[in-house]
Amino acid sequence: MPDTPSVTAPVILGDEPGSFPHGVLAERHPAVVRQVRDAFPFDPERLRALDALLASCADGVVEPLPADADPTGRDRDRWARWGMDAYAGRSWYDVPWLWAESHFYRRLLDAVGYFGPGAWQGVDPFRPAKLAELDAPETDEELAALDGLDELSAEERTRALLHGSLWGNRADLGFRLSDRGAGPEGAVDALVADDSDTLWSLLPAPGTGPTGPTGRGPATLCLVADNAGRELVPDLLLVSHLLAEGRVDGAVLHVKPYPYYVSDATPTDVLDALRRLAAAGGAAAAHGERLWTALTDGRVTVRAHPFSCAPLPYADMPDDLREDFAAATVTVLKGDLNYRRLVGDRWWPPTTSFAQVTAYFPGPVAALRTLKSDVVTGLDAKTEAALEASGERRWRTSGTHALIQVRR
């Protein structure tokens, strides 16, 4: 087993009415089932399965995967290792929230017949929503903004693209290059932690050559993606920019092996995003061409490890994934779910050391995350006090604040 943090905190459950996790289980999950049900002309068998899952969300319990859920048996074995024996028969609300959420999405794929056999095998139930977002006019506006980045200095371009990746579908905030996303005088900055200077210190500066300032050899970025569509595009743009600037020699993009958490990126979503860049013209198309070439010559690789859909923290990652992360110059984990898995989905005091709770990670690690759930670490006491005093009751979950945290 990997080293675990020397301090701990209670695991977040969904059993408290009125809490954010309880609301996700009681309201969001049923809404997701209804949206998927309405998005496709499913046959009666699939509709019955979705209705059964909807009823289970209301007052049911965790159930093992059905016998036909995985023809190979490998996924059933994984879920047995991931805690199924311990949690089967218990209420969705009485098991760790991270586990319950993950199992819900795996059950949803069973309900729609994703793993087959049958006509719906391999059909992403979230694809219509993903494509609609990718084709939205707002995406055109954001991609057009890339044409103006050439007027900025190299440092400003890098900062803009980093913030574009950080804020995802609010990427325009990065392009506006506002002052760290600060609000009115006296308000709390939107960016509540900013270790971006530390992040850049881990990579060679532009023009220093392939070995960088440390002489450790080629620099490799490992980027663990979060959402597809308008949030994946800025991630790809950041990778493209770092390749063009010579700050990385190669990149490994980790995505989900199958649809997950509605909008999480899969290999198919990567292809959709690349095609969207190519169709946009201008600077966006140049980025798309650079990434396409980098994929074909091996400088960029896409990986979809089964553990990417595990209901567990990264502290429990298997050895082969540890080796992958250990080989990277730095691993950047995007988004809220990856943050929960990185630090552990627990009720940490916000001033808990980010470095301490990520000490197990097998190499330098960075988190780019907008706050959309309760867990948070690494804030200084002044920032925590200002957030608590701001009157913004849901600052942990509203997505109005973000952080860039790095452990060397």
Side-chain angles (χ1 to χ4, degrees), residues 209-232:
T211 61
T214 63
R216 289 179 297 178
T220 301
L221 170 70
C222 188
L223 194 149
V224 183
D226 184 32
N227 291 330
R230 285 174 60 209
E231 297 193 35
L232 180 60

Side-chain angles (χ1 to χ4, degrees), residues 55-320:
S56 178
C57 290
D59 54 12
V61 298
V62 172
E63 298 178 8
L65 297 177
D68 61 352
D70 173 27
T72 68
R74 289 192 296 268
D75 205 34
R76 288 172 60 86
D77 291 342
R78 292 189 194 103
W79 277 91
R81 295 194 303 271
W82 292 344
M84 180 61 72
D85 292 344
Y87 298 136
R90 296 172 60 178
S91 167
W92 293 94
Y93 298 91
D94 294 335
V95 303
W97 181 43
L98 175 64
W99 201 97
E101 275 198 289
S102 298
H103 185 57
F104 164 78
Y105 285 102
R106 181 59 180 83
R107 289 280 306 280
L108 179 60
L109 292 182
D110 287 332
V112 300
Y114 181 85
F115 293 101
W120 296 103
Q121 185 178 37
V123 175
D124 183 346
F126 312 122
R127 185 166 171 78
K130 291 176 179 178
L131 291 178
E133 181 183 275
L134 196 60
D135 293 335
E138 292 84 356
T139 307
D140 289 324
E141 297 171 6
E142 290 164 5
L143 294 179
L146 291 170
D147 293 335
L149 291 185
D150 285 342
E151 301 173 4
L152 304 177
S153 68
E155 181 179 351
E156 288 174 324
R157 285 196 302 272
T158 300
R159 180 179 181 276
L161 291 167
L162 177 67
H163 280 246
S165 179
L166 170 65
W167 287 103
N169 61 14
R170 294 176 59 189
D172 58 301
L173 292 179
F175 295 147
R176 280 196 276 120
L177 293 172
S178 59
D179 183 18
R180 295 180 62 238
E185 185 175 356
V188 182
D189 283 351
L191 193 56
V192 297
D194 185 5
D195 295 340
S196 54
D197 288 344
T198 304
L199 174 60
W200 300 132
S201 75
L202 295 171
L203 298 174
T208 57
T211 61
T214 63
R216 289 179 297 178
T220 301
L221 170 70
C222 188
L223 194 149
V224 183
D226 184 32
N227 291 330
R230 285 174 60 209
E231 297 193 35
L232 180 60
V233 166
D235 295 343
L236 295 176
L237 293 174
L238 179 61
V239 171
S240 172
H241 174 73
L242 295 177
L243 286 170
E245 292 286 308
R247 303 205 66 164
V248 299
D249 302 282
V252 180
L253 180 67
H254 279 265
V255 295
K256 303 299 189 297
Y258 49 76
Y260 195 61
Y261 278 69
V262 179
S263 56
D264 281 26
T266 67
T268 298
D269 298 316
V270 174
L271 295 176
D272 287 338
L274 289 174
R275 293 189 182 104
R276 185 68 173 86
L277 287 172
H287 281 288
E289 182 178 354
R290 182 182 300 118
L291 290 165
W292 193 279
T293 300
L295 282 162
T296 60
D297 65 24
R299 285 177 296 143
V300 174
T301 58
V302 177
R303 296 185 186 165
H305 195 286
F307 192 78
S308 295
C309 289
L312 302 173
Y314 280 109
D316 295 333
M317 74 181 85
D319 290 342
D320 62 332

